[in-house]
Amino acid sequence: MMTAYLVGMTVKAKTDSVSVDAEDALIAALKVKHDYPAAMITYVRKRNARGDRRHPHLGLLEGEARRRKPA
């Protein structure tokens, strides 16, 4: 059974969070670490359906695309 998790991370002194579908929190953290090897995982929590709908977070692939855009 897949559950949505929110994974907070720090990359190059910038914080961000991404939404990941995974079986448990450890797998969610490992998926993010696989896509962002330099990231330091700061937290993993289950997504809050109501609160996260009001303040949406990027999905894993969307976050990857956003980071690669030049600032």
Side-chain angles (χ1 to χ4, degrees):
M1 182 172 125
M2 296 294 241
T3 305
Y5 288 92
L6 193 64
V7 180
M9 62 182 163
T10 303
V11 182
K12 296 182 182 175
K14 301 225 182 220
T15 60
D16 200 3
S17 58
V18 291
S19 177
V20 180
D21 289 327
E23 293 176 7
D24 64 9
L26 178 60
I27 293 173
L30 290 173
K31 283 182 177 182
V32 172
K33 190 66 172 174
H34 180 265
D35 288 349
Y36 304 101
M40 181 178 70
I41 305 299
T42 55
Y43 66 89
V44 180
R45 66 169 176 86
K46 286 187 179 180
R47 283 190 56 200
N48 177 340
R50 191 174 114 204
D52 291 337
R53 199 174 319 120
R54 290 182 185 168
H55 307 285
H57 299 276
L58 298 175
L60 191 56
L61 296 176
E62 296 172 33
E64 192 172 14
R66 187 182 83 170
R67 287 188 203 293
R68 292 188 180 161
K69 289 182 183 176

